[in-house]
Amino acid sequence: MKRLLSIFVSVVILAIIYSRIDLPALAEVFRGSDPLWMAISLGMVVPLTLATGWRLRQLMPRHQDFPLTEATKLTLSASVLNMVLPSKMGELAKAYFISDRGYLPGSLAFSLVVFEKASDLLSLFVWCVFGLLFYPEKETLFWVMTFFVFLGLFFGLLLLSSESFANLFFRRSKAIASGKLYQKLDKLHRSWTEMHNHFWQDKRQLLIIASISIFIWFLHLMQIWFFIFALRASVPFIANLALAPLAIFAGLLPLTFAGVGTRDAALIFFYQPFFDANVGAALGLLCTSRYLLPAIGGLPFFGQYLANLQTAKSNAK
């Protein structure tokens, strides 16, 4: 039911957007695009996927043999689920497959993916804070967003770095939760504690992972900047560092199908000082391709993992 509701919300938002868009003008934006920059920007999906897979490999314990090919296939498989699950929750499926293939115990695999997702989110916050601090034209809205983004970064860093603060947060959250929400928070609390115990043992490795995550998100934001070049528009680099993360955050809200609709509306709204709504809508479609292309590439591997899982279950009976 929730999935149908998110699809409905996406359709409604897109209907509102495209009722105000000149469709022939939108088609003209794509016809007049720069083919070289279009190829470069779309092609960045490949190094981004490899970099994300390499980070997953670096997250593994040093004694664990975990090939880059396996990490890349898992990354692509998660992209399939990210297209249908809210807030990139498909990433958590990697924990199940990592455990199922015998690389790590289930709880440690889950804590590894939780850490990966947390470092991903905080890295996006870092670039958003950096961009907003240097964004030249701050009206009241942007000052408010800067404050809340900085608050989110500070809170996330506290959760990640302080086990006592994390325990306090989870205890207070579970005190007011009930039913399935309590169970989810309890599982996340236990995984978060295991994550702290595992990753803070090697601070050098922790610094490496943080650096990789920040660099990966730099590449993501560069890809969006290159999309703008491909559409023959222009946005200052610092402005893109501030605005692109805000649009991505809008797409992460668990309201729509794979962020479609909210992300498009955010791109049109935030980039309106630099180009019109037709270019903004075109940019929204290209940003959706950032999620669609890896999902298409991951379909064969996802099907393979599911088939192996079903075979293992059949043999266990």
Side-chain angles (χ1 to χ4, degrees):
M1 183 63 186
K2 289 181 180 179
R3 181 51 40 202
L4 290 175
L5 181 60
S6 66
I7 293 173
F8 175 75
V9 173
S10 286
V11 170
V12 169
I13 295 175
L14 289 177
I16 294 172
I17 290 173
Y18 284 100
S19 67
R20 302 177 180 181
I21 294 293
D22 184 352
L23 293 181
L26 175 61
E28 188 58 37
V29 170
F30 280 109
R31 278 196 296 267
S33 62
D34 186 309
L36 178 60
W37 276 113
M38 188 66 76
I40 292 172
S41 55
L42 291 172
M44 283 190 70
V45 167
V46 176
L48 277 166
T49 302
L50 291 173
T52 306
W54 184 64
R55 179 184 60 185
L56 180 60
R57 186 169 182 263
Q58 296 302 307
L59 282 166
M60 285 286 183
R62 292 182 181 275
H63 61 82
Q64 179 63 61
D65 181 27
F66 188 61
L68 179 60
T69 52
E70 185 75 19
T72 303
K73 287 192 291 185
L74 279 169
T75 300
L76 288 169
S77 298
S79 299
V80 178
L81 289 175
N82 283 337
M83 287 299 298
V84 295
L85 295 177
S87 304
K88 299 191 74 175
M89 293 302 291
E91 298 293 329
L92 298 181
K94 285 193 287 194
Y96 187 84
F97 290 129
I98 288 171
S99 175
D100 177 66
R101 297 179 74 83
Y103 289 109
L104 289 177
S107 60
L108 183 55
F110 185 72
S111 65
L112 180 148
V113 174
V114 166
F115 180 79
E116 183 189 33
K117 190 170 176 62
S119 62
D120 229 13
L121 189 62
L122 288 178
S123 298
L124 183 57
F125 269 124
V126 166
W127 284 115
C128 193
V129 167
F130 180 83
L132 284 171
L133 286 176
F134 290 95
Y135 188 64
E137 299 178 10
K138 284 195 186 71
E139 299 176 355
T140 304
L141 175 62
F142 279 92
W143 279 115
V144 171
M145 287 189 295
T146 302
F147 171 76
F148 279 107
V149 170
F150 182 81
L151 190 64
L153 176 61
F154 180 72
F155 179 76
L157 288 174
L158 269 180
L159 274 178
L160 202 60
S161 61
S162 172
E163 187 173 358
S164 58
F165 178 81
N167 286 332
L168 176 64
F169 168 76
F170 282 113
R171 282 198 299 267
R172 294 290 175 85
S173 299
K174 288 189 292 185
I176 59 175
S178 60
K180 290 184 178 180
L181 179 59
Y182 178 89
Q183 294 174 6
K184 290 179 180 179
L185 284 171
D186 188 55
K187 182 180 180 181
L188 184 58
H189 187 186
R190 284 185 273 112
S191 296
W192 202 271
T193 301
E194 186 168 1
M195 176 195 71
H196 270 279
N197 295 335
H198 177 70
F199 287 105
W200 281 99
Q201 292 177 359
D202 189 344
K203 292 182 174 58
R204 179 179 174 274
Q205 185 69 3
L206 195 67
L207 180 61
I208 291 173
I209 298 302
S211 301
I212 294 172
S213 298
I214 290 172
F215 179 67
I216 287 173
W217 269 110
F218 176 75
L219 292 180
H220 279 295
L221 300 179
M222 287 293 291
Q223 184 187 33
I224 294 174
W225 201 39
F226 292 167
F227 280 151
I228 295 170
F229 289 166
L231 297 173
R232 300 189 186 277
S234 178
V235 174
F237 179 66
I238 292 295
N240 187 68
L241 287 182
L243 302 178
L246 292 175
I248 292 171
F249 279 128
L252 292 177
L253 295 174
L255 302 172
T256 54
F257 177 77
V260 175
T262 49
R263 185 172 52 245
D264 300 73
L267 287 166
I268 292 172
F269 175 76
F270 288 126
Y271 283 92
Q272 59 184 338
F274 303 102
F275 44 70
D276 62 28
N278 295 317
V279 177
L283 181 59
L285 292 173
L286 289 176
C287 284
T288 298
S289 74
R290 298 176 61 248
Y291 304 94
L292 182 60
L293 292 177
I296 293 173
L299 280 172
F301 306 120
F302 182 68
Q304 179 185 346
Y305 284 128
L306 285 182
N308 292 341
L309 181 61
Q310 290 172 353
T311 301
K313 286 184 176 180
S314 299
N315 293 336
K317 290 181 179 179

